[in-house]
Amino acid sequence: MRIAFLVIPAFTASAFGMPETAITRTHLLKDSERATVTAGLGMELDLNENPAYAGDSLFGYLGYAPFDWLELGLGAHVVSLQFVPSIEAKVDLVDMFSDDCRFSLLLISGFGGLPNELLFYQAGLGVNFRFRGPLQLYLGGGSDSLSTAMSLQAGVFVSLLKSLGVSANAKLVIGREGTAPAFSIAPLLLLSRRSPGQSRTSAASSR
């Protein structure tokens, strides 16, 4: 059912193409840490304009992770000069069962819009690998209920300081109207209530 939820909208929807309204956001492909608030503001650049696809020129996000495997958040997207709010969620299917694994399988979904205006739902899948140190690499893909395309992206998250990081990725929108590359970047502020010595490894070893 999850695979169908991801693939069917890309090939059956007849609405105009808006494949980047809420698909697999840069900040949602970052690994989650329990009791951490994530705030971010980003922008997306169309590298090859295609009138069939409209991506976020600006987007913002505020989320909270009550567990290592779950993050809930609010999004704000500017698409074709129109403000579109959203509710977004991320589930790490690996961290649900293991706290000391550097690999994550992310299930991303959500919905958004305004009353009597544009309404949509979206779904995506992503993988994340955490290296030792400040570096994370990720891959993701998804679609939404308005789109005639799917979005694929590959990127990196780097922790610049203790509470500040940046995500950047390259995207490729693939659909019936052709392909369109894009690039997005999002500085992220990470506020955690965990003590400095508390980590995934220590949490796992205390069980």
Side-chain angles (χ1 to χ4, degrees), residues 56-126:
D56 285 359
S57 54
L58 295 171
F59 58 88
Y61 176 76
L62 179 64
Y64 177 72
F67 310 102
D68 282 330
W69 55 270
L70 175 65
E71 184 173 324
L72 303 172
L74 299 175
H77 316 286
V78 178
V79 184
S80 299
L81 301 181
Q82 181 179 7
F83 171 77
V84 182
S86 65
I87 297 175
E88 305 182 18
K90 173 177 65 178
V91 174
D92 188 335
L93 300 178
V94 174
D95 273 353
M96 290 180 69
F97 306 100
S98 174
D99 283 340
D100 58 352
C101 181
R102 291 196 228 167
F103 173 80
S104 294
L105 177 60
L106 307 174
L107 175 64
I108 301 167
S109 64
F111 64 93
L114 295 170
N116 302 319
E117 295 288 344
L118 175 68
L119 296 174
F120 67 92
Y121 62 87
Q122 57 88 13
L125 291 173

Side-chain angles (χ1 to χ4, degrees), residues 1-7 9 19 22-24 89 106-111 120-126 141-145 150-151:
M1 290 296 293
R2 289 172 178 169
I3 297 298
F5 183 59
L6 218 181
V7 175
I23 302 168
T24 54
L106 307 174
L107 175 64
I108 301 167
S109 64
F111 64 93
F120 67 92
Y121 62 87
Q122 57 88 13
L125 291 173
S143 185
D144 66 74
S145 59
M150 293 190 70
S151 172

Side-chain angles (χ1 to χ4, degrees), residues 5 34-35 41 49 52 82 92-93 104 148 159 184 203:
F5 183 59
R34 179 172 57 86
L41 181 65
E49 290 188 8
Q82 181 179 7
D92 188 335
L93 300 178
S104 294
T148 58
S159 297
S184 66

